Amino acid sequence: MFRTISQRLLPRCTSMRQKHTLPDLPYDFNALEPVISAEIMLLHHQKHHQTYVNMLNQTEEKFMEAKEKNDLKTMIALGPMLRFNGGGHLNHSIFWQNLSPNGGEPEGELLEAINKDYGSLENMKNIFSSATVAIQGSGWGWLGYNKTTKTLAITTCANQDPLEPTTGLVPLLGIDVWEHAYYLQYKNVRADYVKNLFKIINWKDVSVRLAFAKQ
């Protein structure tokens, strides 16, 4: 049975049955050019995401050691590190799949949901872009699914806070606006980066996530 990335990864935070590993990209480092340069993709994936994975594994080990000792104070103190690095791993694992050199447009059930909740694809993009560009400091813009209202929702999360544990929304599409995701190419013009990113969105992946979120 299919499970979301967050469902597959989060249980490991407590079980420690196996260590987290850096997922392979589903395309070459230069495949998203000219929207995202190969240099950015290499650094973003091999350095930044790898660091989140490494720190998550180290923090989990410390957490499990504290748990075995019933050291509640240490367990609580490690919470922010688990959230930050675990969120960084979750968010980036979704982000890589959300992108594709083939680009395209949403279709079928996803397009119907966008039109129902936002009026049109362009309107959704405008709202999504405005919210994401306006993030103060570092964070993520998200298109999520609200299981209670059965509607799409656009929101933002600070730093590496993961969407589902933070808001209850199921993540469908995430845009990383940490400076390391775009600064080497777009400098401080975050709006151009976000605008261009819509050219390489893997809408098929977003559609699959929506279909399983509705189950």
Side-chain angles (χ1 to χ4, degrees):
M1 180 182 295
F2 178 91
R3 295 189 297 167
T4 65
I5 288 178
S6 58
Q7 288 173 321
R8 284 185 272 129
L9 291 178
L10 283 178
R12 300 181 188 174
C13 292
T14 55
S15 67
M16 282 296 292
R17 293 190 182 119
Q18 64 186 83
K19 288 189 175 183
H20 304 281
T21 58
L22 182 70
D24 293 331
L25 291 179
Y27 36 73
D28 293 333
F29 290 116
N30 64 353
L32 303 181
E33 292 184 335
V35 176
I36 304 179
S37 69
E39 182 182 18
I40 288 177
M41 290 300 298
L42 181 64
L43 290 171
H44 199 171
H45 181 262
Q46 297 286 292
K47 300 298 183 181
H48 291 280
H49 191 172
Q50 182 67 69
T51 298
Y52 295 128
V53 171
N54 294 344
M55 293 303 297
L56 176 58
N57 286 329
Q58 292 176 26
T59 305
E60 284 185 346
E61 289 178 6
K62 294 178 181 177
F63 184 91
M64 294 308 295
E65 290 174 1
K67 185 177 180 181
E68 290 176 1
K69 298 175 182 177
N70 199 29
D71 184 353
L72 183 58
K73 289 183 180 180
T74 298
M75 291 166 66
I76 292 173
L78 289 169
M81 286 290 287
L82 282 174
R83 183 181 186 87
F84 181 78
N85 292 291
H89 184 31
L90 285 170
N91 294 341
H92 285 87
S93 296
I94 295 171
F95 184 58
W96 309 132
Q97 297 294 330
N98 276 168
L99 304 178
S100 169
N102 299 320
E105 298 288 341
E107 300 176 344
E109 191 175 29
L110 174 60
L111 182 58
E112 291 176 6
I114 290 172
N115 288 334
K116 177 177 69 72
D117 295 331
Y118 293 100
S120 69
L121 175 61
E122 281 306 308
N123 191 46
M124 187 277 287
K125 287 182 179 179
N126 289 336
I127 295 172
F128 195 172
S129 297
S130 295
T132 304
V133 171
I135 292 173
Q136 295 183 345
S138 300
W140 290 73
W142 288 101
L143 175 68
Y145 181 72
N146 188 318
K147 284 179 167 286
T148 301
T149 62
K150 302 185 186 305
T151 58
L152 301 178
I154 291 171
T155 190
T156 62
C157 290
N159 300 314
Q160 293 296 351
D161 287 356
L163 182 67
E164 195 164 2
T166 302
T167 67
L169 299 173
V170 180
L172 305 178
L173 171 62
I175 294 182
D176 184 355
V177 289
W178 279 66
E179 287 188 346
H180 63 241
Y182 64 89
Y183 206 84
L184 287 176
Q185 187 172 351
Y186 292 89
K187 306 306 179 189
N188 63 325
V189 190
R190 178 187 284 179
D192 285 353
Y193 159 72
V194 173
K195 178 182 178 181
N196 287 334
L197 209 65
F198 279 104
K199 299 175 183 178
I200 54 170
I201 296 300
N202 184 353
W203 292 107
K204 291 182 179 179
D205 179 68
V206 180
S207 293
V208 170
R209 293 178 189 279
L210 176 62
F212 283 102
K214 288 186 172 183
Q215 292 183 353

